[in-house]
Structure formats: C-alpha cells, structure tokens
Amino acid sequence: MGDLIENKNLVYVCNETDVETNGMLAIEDDQLRPIAVFNLAGVFYATSNICTHNIAILTDGTLEDSIIECPLHGGSFDIKTGEAASYPCEKPLKTYPVRVSDGKVYIDYDQISAESPEFECSVDKGVDNIGDRFLEGPQFPTITLSTGQAFQVNNNDETVLQSALRAGTAFPYDCSSGGCGNCLFKLEKGEVEDLFPEAPGISNYARKLGYRLACQSIPKVDCTIGVELDVKYTPPVVPQKHAARLKSLKVLTHDMYMITLYAESHVEFMPGQYALISLPNNNAFRAYSMSNISNSMGEWEFIIKRVEGGLVSNLIFELASKDTYNIKMDITVDGPYGNAYLQSNSKKNVLCIAGGAGLSPMISILRGASARPEFDDRQLLLYYGGRAERDLCVEDIVSEDSRLKGRVKVVSAVSESSTDVLNKISGEVRRGYIHEVVEKDLWEVLHEYEIYVCGPPKMVEAVQKTLVNKHKLPDKQIHFDAFY
Ligand SMILES: Cc1cc2nc3c(=O)[nH]c(=O)nc-3n(C[C@H](O)[C@H](O)[C@H](O)COP(=O)(O)OP(=O)(O)OC[C@H]3O[C@@H](n4cnc5c(N)ncnc54)[C@H](O)[C@@H]3O)c2cc1C
Ligand code: FES
C-alpha cells in the first residue's frame, strides 16, 4: 500500500470482492467519468463504461470471456485492449491501468482526468450544406448548431430531424422511429417535447447528460444543439408532406397486405427509402418503406405487416377494410427518408435479403434496378426469410411483375417448417434462417454483391454479424434498414 499512497495518480474504485469472478461492476462516482471494472479469473481490468458508438452503459450489456457487448446495438469491445471487436463499434474503448493491493482495486486517476470526453458532439467542418435555408415564416423555432449555422422548424408538430432534413442538412439518422440511436444530439440550450420517452435508441444515462433523439424531439422554443453532421446523410430527395388517400388494398399473406395511396403530386424517392405515415385523428406516425418506384401517377405503394396489438398497422388495415377508398385526402405521407437505397454508382451485382415486411423496400430496389439500363448485365437476387410457409408471398409478387419475372432469382427460406412440408411448396424454398441460407449459397462470392438488408432488428443483426464480423465485408457494401 505504501507506494500506492505515494502515487497520487491512483484512485480507489472498489474492493476486489465487489466484482464477481468473470463479472463486472459499474463505478458511479461524481468525481470520475463512468468506469467499468472487470474481474477475469482474478485479473482486474478497467475501461470507460460508455460505448464509443453511441451513449450507452456497457455494464448493462453482457460479458463473455474478455468481450463486452453493448446493450444498445450489439457492438462489442475487448476489455483487455479496448479494441472494437464487432460492428457497429469502430473507435476503441478507453482502458485504464489497474493496481490491486490489500484487496482494494485502484486505477490511474491521472489518465482519467487527462482524457477528453468519450462522446463529443461537434459539427463536422467538412459539411457546409445548411446555409441560410429558412423555409417559411419566422413564427416557428429556429435550431442553431454549435457552429452558428441554423435552420428553421416549419410546423409545430415537426421534429428536429424532419426540419433538418427539409432544410437539406446532413443530419445523421436512420430509422426515424426512436430505435437506432443514430440521430442523437446534445441539447445545449432550449426546450424540446419528447414524443417517445421510452425510445430504445437512447439510454437513460445519455438523457441525463442532455442528449436527445432528433427524430422524437419537437422544438418548443429556439434551441442550440450539438451534433456531428456527415455529408453521407445529405438527403438525395428533400422530404415533403403529401395529403393522400387509399387507392387499393391487396391481401398478400395471413398478416401482410399491400396498399396503394394516391397523392396529387409527382412521387419521387430513391428505391429502398421509406415514408412516415400518419392517419386522420391520430398524431402517431410510423415508418413504412415504399415497394414501388418514383412515378408521375401520384402512387405510393407499401407492403405492411399487421403487428398484433400494433396501433398504426391495424388502423391502416381497418381504414382500408371499411370502404374508405373515398376522395378524402386525409392520410399524410411524409417522405422520402432513409439511407439504405439503391446505389446506382456501384458496378456490383445486387443481393437483397429480407424478412417479414422488409420485403417492401427490397421489391422497390429490384424494381429500381430492373428499370435502369446500367443494371442490365447484373444479377438480381432476392433472399426472403419467413417463419413458416404461410409467410411466403415473394414468388407471387415477382411473377406478377413483368419487369421482375424471369429477371430476379428468388430464394425463400422458412425457419420453422419440416422438410416434408417444404417439399409440397412450389418454387425454391429452403429450411433455415435466411442469413444461414445466404451464407451457404454465396459465401465465396459475397464480395461481388452490393447487399441490401431489411427486416426485423434481430434478423438484420444476424445478417450484419455474418457479413461484417464473420466474412469481413466492408460495411460500405451493405445497406441496412431495421424495422424497429
Ligand atoms: C425505417 C423503417 C421502415 C419500416 N418499413 C415498414 C414496412 O415497409 N412495412 C411494415 O409493415 N413495417 C415497417 N416498419 C415498421 C413500422 O414502422 C411499425 O413499427 C410497425 O408497423 C408497427 O407499428 P404499429 O403502430 O402497428 O405498432 P406499435 O406497437 O403501436 O408501434 C411499434 C413501433 O412504433 C414505435 N413507437 C411505439 N410507441 C411510440 C411512441 N409513443 N412514439 C413514437 N414511436 C413509438 C416503436 O418504434 C415501436 O417499436 C418500418 C420501420 C422502420 C424503422
Ligand atoms: S432513433 Fe432517431 S433516427 Fe433512429
């Protein structure tokens, strides 16, 4: 203990017995940054307790051997070295030297106090696309970034994210639904209404530090915010609100249907993007991906899955079932949004992997590719996964579309049916999870494909782990949308 006392850099954090063997402990001390202490078979390690990808507390996740998995997006780190071990974590985690003496665990205080914050919000200096795009009158709040650039909110029910994208700002985001956490910003000044206080995309800890989700925050007054803009999020088509009405509904499976909405304006979006739909007399909006492509007929087509107990997916179905194909334009379609769209500059073949209603944007991407001459010599593959045969409808959709029929190769797989049942189904149907089937068929040639993935978060995560972690495909080659 003598030399520890002399070394003023060391700070006591806990007793050895406070951390179970192969367990971890969060150190909460107002004087220190959040620290995690680990006991691996009697050897102690310490790291920052905040994920470098997004603000989440790592000790709320799981520890296996020396790998800690973040509870928010499933990325991981090696706690011995701090190295990021899996997607989407990239930046290393800070590690701190540990000393154990007389049953007490100490870490190097000097290293802690000298560190910069783990997660800083600043504006990327390479991005200067905001300018002075104030859209309408001055009656709604103004959002100013820490650099001084500003954009204006256009409506009193518009989120920070919607306003930013309408102003052409390269604001990071993905789901617009509170699930991915990519639209995190720091509220430095002002006040916002939080539409979704239980949103899984942000931890309580991040909220405590003043962070918010831009897709769930409605500015109440002028605000100053910190956010790291990134040019890759510049909207390819600026989103707008359209009044629409139901034009048709077609039942696809026991729980999926295709609807077409009609709006009185030209429809423009990138194949694979989504829109936010809200219904009359209801403030809730949900993201739905288009299954068609841009058109001048005013048609927005969607494949929607009825979620048991789900608010909007059931309301849309009920509205459509009750002879509401009328002239009232009372559905709002706000779009387009989303970053997982067809990459027309890529020279690679196209591989689409979908689960559930994730089929919708994949059909759009395949329709987009088959309509463009530059894709004429490329393979178009669609792998679709369901639980059982009653979930399958891809063959019908493809064969009813003259552009897709004979052009797109479809492979369907079901995870819960026996081989006997599968032998009775027409078309190519395999048994297993869709990421396993893709891996089995294509593992040697995966690098030849631009890959698009869409479906429930668990399915998207399984595909991500297979392609990025296991097969080391660059994440630029893969375009994901998880249906949170
Ligand atoms: C990018 C994207 C694209 C999507 N595309 C499609 C598609 O093409 N087809 C399809 O069927 N589904 C799609 N979804 C899923 C869809 O948005 C809905 O989550 C789904 O239809 C269930 O909605 P619900 O209202 O019926 O269920 P609910 O259970 O009422 O809500 C489900 C989801 O809504 C969000 N939510 C819940 N409460 C709140 C709240 N208070 N405030 C804000 N948000 C809340 C949460 O994300 C929750 O998981 C997509 C999702 C995303 C993120
Ligand atoms: S949580 Fe806001 S964009 Fe996903």
Side-chain angles (χ1 to χ4, degrees):
M1 187 73 184
D3 55 331
L4 285 180
I5 292 168
E6 278 161 33
N7 184 347
K8 295 202 175 76
N9 291 338
L10 291 174
V11 65
Y12 163 80
V13 283
C14 60
N15 291 335
E16 260 186 291
T17 49
D18 293 338
V19 196
E20 283 176 17
T21 305
N22 300 325
M24 53 191 168
L25 180 72
I27 306 296
E28 290 180 24
D29 182 321
D30 289 348
Q31 304 299 311
L32 303 176
R33 295 183 189 293
I35 303 284
V37 175
F38 303 90
N39 172 355
L40 295 189
V43 181
F44 283 78
Y45 299 88
T47 69
S48 156
N49 201 7
I50 300 183
C51 179
T52 58
H53 169 248
N54 205 313
I55 297 200
I57 294 290
L58 291 173
T59 46
D60 291 343
T62 49
L63 178 68
E64 204 175 321
D65 300 324
S66 64
I67 303 296
I68 177 87
E69 187 175 293
C70 175
L72 205 51
H73 297 104
S76 60
F77 301 90
D78 187 329
I79 54 142
K80 291 183 179 172
T81 60
E83 286 301 306
S86 68
Y87 183 86
C89 300
E90 288 174 349
K91 283 192 219 153
L93 192 63
K94 293 179 196 314
T95 57
Y96 301 105
V98 177
R99 294 276 299 273
V100 181
S101 181
D102 284 347
K104 292 184 163 43
V105 181
Y106 300 82
I107 57 176
D108 195 311
Y109 181 75
D110 199 39
Q111 289 229 11
I112 300 167
S113 55
E115 297 293 354
S116 58
E118 280 82 357
F119 191 98
E120 275 185 295
C121 277
S122 59
V123 173
D124 184 337
K125 295 194 172 52
V127 180
D128 185 19
N129 65 344
I130 302 176
D132 47 1
R133 279 176 238 185
F134 289 83
L135 297 179
E136 269 170 27
Q139 67 271 38
F140 300 115
T142 299
I143 310 290
T144 307
L145 305 184
S146 348
T147 50
Q149 296 159 293
F151 57 88
Q152 190 147 28
V153 177
N154 307 298
N155 218 311
N156 54 13
D157 62 356
E158 190 156 280
T159 64
V160 170
L161 182 65
Q162 286 168 314
S163 316
L165 297 177
R166 279 197 232 293
T169 307
F171 204 113
Y173 80 108
D174 273 319
C175 71
S176 294
S177 303
C180 73
N182 288 353
C183 64
L184 215 63
F185 71 92
K186 187 157 190 184
L187 183 61
E188 287 165 2
K189 209 172 122 200
E191 191 198 335
V192 296
E193 176 192 344
D194 194 340
L195 292 179
F196 192 8
E198 312 82 33
I202 179 169
S203 66
N204 287 338
Y205 181 71
R207 283 183 190 282
K208 220 163 99 184
L209 295 179
Y211 291 91
R212 294 289 179 270
L213 293 174
C215 70
Q216 303 299 330
S217 298
I218 297 198
K220 291 286 145 203
V221 294
D222 290 350
C223 295
T224 304
I225 66 172
V227 63
E228 194 168 335
L229 300 184
D230 184 335
V231 75
K232 75 177 182 200
Y233 293 102
T234 307
V237 180
V238 169
Q240 286 175 24
K241 281 187 178 171
H242 307 266
R245 68 173 163 84
L246 272 167
K247 188 173 175 197
S248 64
L249 175 135
K250 181 179 174 190
V251 174
L252 298 176
T253 68
H254 65 108
D255 65 355
M256 286 211 295
Y257 51 98
M258 183 184 269
I259 58 163
T260 307
L261 302 182
Y262 167 77
E264 275 174 357
S265 47
H266 181 84
V267 174
E268 196 189 350
F269 58 86
M270 304 298 285
Q273 286 195 290
Y274 64 89
L276 300 175
I277 296 188
S278 46
L279 298 176
N281 310 321
N282 195 302
N283 288 332
F285 60 82
R286 298 285 187 266
Y288 292 101
S289 310
M290 284 69 83
S291 53
N292 62 342
I293 52 178
S294 295
N295 61 83
S296 54
M297 287 108 69
E299 286 184 357
W300 298 80
E301 184 187 274
F302 304 90
I303 295 175
I304 297 185
K305 188 180 168 81
R306 276 186 92 165
V307 174
E308 215 179 306
L311 180 69
V312 177
S313 60
N314 284 287
L315 277 175
I316 296 177
F317 187 76
E318 279 157 27
L319 206 67
S321 320
K322 282 187 219 154
D323 189 24
T324 19
Y325 305 96
N326 54 31
I327 44 157
K328 251 174 122 185
M329 308 286 277
D330 50 8
I331 299 176
T332 305
V333 179
D334 180 6
Y337 294 95
N339 306 302
Y341 49 79
L342 180 67
Q343 302 295 300
S344 40
N345 293 334
S346 163
K347 302 272 178 275
K348 294 181 188 294
N349 292 319
V350 174
L351 167 61
C352 292
I353 308 172
L359 185 57
S360 200
M362 298 298 114
I363 294 290
S364 173
I365 284 171
L366 293 166
R367 283 176 167 155
S370 59
R372 290 172 197 224
E374 65 267 32
F375 284 87
D376 281 355
D377 59 348
R378 317 268 182 86
Q379 265 184 45
L380 306 182
L381 296 187
L382 172 57
Y383 277 71
Y384 182 70
R387 282 205 182 130
E389 60 280 12
R390 67 180 190 152
D391 297 324
L392 304 179
C393 58
V394 189
E395 293 281 357
D396 293 343
I397 296 174
V398 169
S399 62
E400 282 168 19
D401 185 313
S402 58
R403 274 227 175 95
L404 300 184
K405 191 177 174 187
R407 176 76 181 88
V408 174
K409 182 182 174 205
V410 177
V411 177
S412 301
V414 289
S415 53
E416 289 177 3
S417 293
S418 69
T419 312
D420 279 358
V421 172
L422 293 189
N423 289 339
K424 293 182 198 141
I425 308 173
S426 63
E428 188 176 354
V429 181
R430 310 266 290 278
R431 184 165 157 65
Y433 289 107
I434 199 66
H435 64 281
E436 298 166 345
V437 176
V438 169
E439 189 182 22
K440 200 165 172 202
D441 289 2
L442 301 173
W443 68 275
E444 276 180 307
V445 289
L446 281 169
H447 59 278
E448 295 172 11
Y449 292 87
E450 200 73 33
I451 303 175
Y452 303 89
V453 188
C454 196
K458 277 207 172 133
M459 173 245 154
V460 171
E461 203 179 301
V463 177
Q464 271 174 337
K465 285 195 167 154
T466 305
L467 300 182
V468 184
N469 295 351
K470 194 166 163 194
H471 289 278
K472 307 287 174 224
L473 291 189
D475 56 0
K476 274 193 201 148
Q477 196 182 324
I478 309 166
H479 311 275
F480 297 106
D481 250 341
F483 283 6
Y484 293 99

